[in-house]
Amino acid sequence: MVNLRMANESQNRIDAALSGTDARLPDVLPTKGHVIGAAQDPRDVTKHAPKIRIDKASLWYGTKQALFDVDLTIHERSVTALIGPSGCGKSTLLRCINRMNDLIDSVRIEGKLTLDGEDLYHRDVEVEILRRRVGMVFQKSNPFPKSIFENVAYGLRIQGVKNRALLDEIVETSLRRAALWDEAKDRLHESALGLSGGQQQRLCIARALATSPEVLLMDEPASALDPISTAKIEDLIHDLRERYTIVIVTHSMHQAARVSDRTAFFLNGILVEEGKTDQIFTNPQRKETEDYVTGRFG
Amino acid sequence: MVTTASPTLQASSGGRGRPGETWVFVTAGSLLTLIALLVGVILLLTLNGLSVFWPHPIARVTQNDGSVLIGQAWRGEAISQDSSDTDAVRMRTLYRIGNRRELGSEFQWVDDDAVKSIEHPPEIVFIERLEWGPALGTIRGVKRAGVPLADLAPDDFDAFDDLVDEARAERIGALAPRVDEAKLITTLELADGRTVDIPLAAIERIVPANAYGPVDRVLSWCASFGRFISENPRESNTEGGILPAILGTFLMVLLMSLAVVPLGVIGALYLNEYAKQGPLVRFVRLAVSNLAGVPSIVFGMFGLAFFVYTIGAHVDATLFSDKLPTPTFGTGGLLWASLTLALLTVPVVIVSTEEGLRAVPRAQREGSLALGSTRWQTIRTIVLPAAMPGILTGTILAIARGAGEVAPLMLTGVVKLAASPLIDATPPFLHLDAKFMHLGFHIYDVGFQSPNVEASRPIVYATALVLLVFIVILNLAAIVWRNRVRRKLQGSTF
């Protein structure tokens, strides 16, 4: 009994310390002229051309329905955050966009998803080409047990690129875009598994960028990282939004507020509300959204 | 000491500990028994196997009746007694007296009670011959073309060795010349005073065991052991070396691995990566596991019926029709034996490879697929390298199982004495159709099918030891390789 209580107390202290760090972050890490942690004024991206249209998308795992008639438009060069409690279908929706759900035998999808007007689930779509255009970064960094260079070059190598100069160039560009070049340039040919967790996640972003995707899907990219690494990733998203269409799933409402232009709130497989990020957080139209973003949920 | 009735923390059941604790001793005891058995087997094989090559002292035994024999003490045993009125157990000793051609028998029992004296005179030698087993006696001079060499002392063993080397040129192939044709002849005096002429060319080695110092003994041991693993067998496998059996085992295991690893890995890939998981796949998996329990002789029969009589006969009919009716592949041989063993061991490879494949993190596959790679590219570049430890584990287990298997080989191509080497200078250099020798079968053959069981018993131990060491070396090599692969895959996982 005594021991259990002590463990609880120390856990509380850790939690407190962590949230404290989060709040103090802006003082510690002011970079690139903007302050991390403060909401960066979300841009109005509705003027941008629509990149991805999701039209009445429903999804079943076997007999269990996970998505219900989701309608969502994602605009070019924008950051869209998908938020909601665990199991609400936001990751499932994300994985519909690059058809990663194809890997699960029991999945059935209805509705229409288009990328630049092309039906993603058309019979003639080559899923490999789709995935080159729609890159993905996973919740847990998953570098291959290869060198840093080979990790970034992987997407090009499987496309058959052999030109060494081109590989060198793209690896450098990708690592620079992922803000990892300075840390990795002297150890390109060492194992990627020797990098820290945050570096590994940025390496995975660089790896995804190397195939020049148009869309970048991020499935809780910072959930396994410490606040400093998280800050770097968010910084990176801020830079990448000028060039890529980004869809990010996150559990952290602060993160959604900091990085995204638009936010979509999911609950039990239903898209409850979608709108400009500051509007979702400051003036939600739906009761459920308000409960969730104010932390009153559950 | 005052005891109180108040509850204590000590056991109350008469100090025998808690009732469940006895099981600890039972489990520890079983483990100890297992370890003892294992150590016993290894010790038995090592001691018996290695002592074969030791130059044992040669005794001159004078018995009470005046008869004399020269021999190496081989083993002793108690004589069974009809009347139980004497308490003393009488012992007798078996001597290896050699000279099978001259004395009729290579071994002789001597009652310990009947022994008057035992000496170990240094001039007595043990002569290893090409034929007729060893000769034991005293060298009484050497004749060159009928003329005795005068300047040769009876204990000048270096000079004898030089002469033996010189005489080797007289051999025709592996055969020694007859006594009346040989140029160099030595005269050996036996225990009973008779003298025998032996062509020096018929002598493999002269071992003056009694004259050896400790260093000489060790050197002699090394030389004997070296010859054992580097020479062909002689005298229906009771003498000479086991090189063809070592080579045969090695090549067979190599070919088996080359066949079983791709077969098993590709099978496991389909089962784990492509096949839709369902009742059928579960059934196939169960069938594969059960295949590992099929008695190996059944695999031997299948190999004989399918590989030898069906495929082999067709190969002969199409490719080697000019040689028929003499079969080329239509009879047991290295290739068919290896393929039979590959079938026998494929379940092990499939099961371990599947384990290896399942251990590859899903995140790694998804990471690769999300970059636009096809399923096969992902398997080739990510999954297979990561599953390498599992595949190698399967290979290790397959080798361990296959190298020791004998029964199926007896039906598919193993022989007592291979007529031709498996590898030689004539194309195609590696003769897949050739019959071959195998360490495991060699043990069975020498131990139970030998015309001279007593003399070949130590060779059985020595061969068993070599087989054991051989399998250990193969396994160690594979384990070292696997660990290197593992180290390459591992990094810091934060």
Side-chain angles (χ1 to χ4, degrees), chain B residues 268-403:
Chain B
L269 270 182
Y270 186 82
L271 266 185
N272 206 60
E273 303 289 322
Y274 290 107
K276 201 167 173 190
Q277 304 299 315
L280 184 66
V281 166
R282 268 208 306 281
F283 174 75
V284 170
R285 236 178 231 135
L286 191 72
V288 165
S289 312
N290 281 338
L291 211 57
V294 173
S296 55
I297 192 77
V298 176
F299 278 99
M301 286 175 63
F302 174 78
L304 183 68
F306 180 67
F307 289 127
V308 178
Y309 290 159
T310 309
I311 296 190
H314 279 93
V315 170
D316 275 2
T318 46
L319 297 177
F320 301 98
S321 52
D322 50 325
K323 286 190 191 159
L324 284 172
T326 311
T328 310
F329 279 98
T331 176
L334 182 62
L335 180 66
W336 300 142
S338 306
L339 291 183
T340 305
L341 279 196
L343 277 186
L344 180 87
T345 50
V346 80
V348 180
V349 178
I350 290 184
V351 169
S352 330
T353 303
E354 274 215 273
E355 300 263 312
L357 291 175
R358 272 196 288 270
V360 179
R362 197 189 156 81
Q364 296 274 323
R365 296 164 203 264
E366 289 192 339
S368 171
L369 290 169
L371 289 168
S373 72
T374 60
R375 235 166 168 179
W376 171 241
Q377 283 172 327
T378 301
I379 289 174
R380 196 169 49 82
T381 56
I382 303 296
V383 176
L384 274 185
M388 248 343 228
I391 295 172
L392 288 176
T393 301
T395 312
I396 292 168
L397 292 173
I399 287 174
R401 171 106 202 260

Side-chain angles (χ1 to χ4, degrees), chain A residues 95 98 100 103-105 128 131-132 134-136 138 141-146 154-155 158 193-195 197 200 207-208 211 224, chain B residues 275-277 362-375 377-378 380-382 385-386 488-494:
Chain A
R95 293 164 68 93
N98 67 345
M100 286 304 273
L103 301 177
I104 303 161
D105 288 337
E128 288 79 28
R131 287 178 190 153
R132 275 173 216 159
V134 183
M136 186 163 196
F138 295 84
S141 61
N142 55 351
F144 304 131
K146 299 168 182 282
Y154 183 82
I158 55 174
L193 302 178
L195 295 172
Q200 286 190 5
R207 190 172 71 182
T211 54
Chain B
K276 201 167 173 190
Q277 304 299 315
R362 197 189 156 81
Q364 296 274 323
R365 296 164 203 264
E366 289 192 339
S368 171
L369 290 169
L371 289 168
S373 72
T374 60
R375 235 166 168 179
Q377 283 172 327
T378 301
R380 196 169 49 82
T381 56
I382 303 296
K488 229 167 99 186
L489 289 173
Q490 267 169 5
S492 72
T493 39
F494 58 98

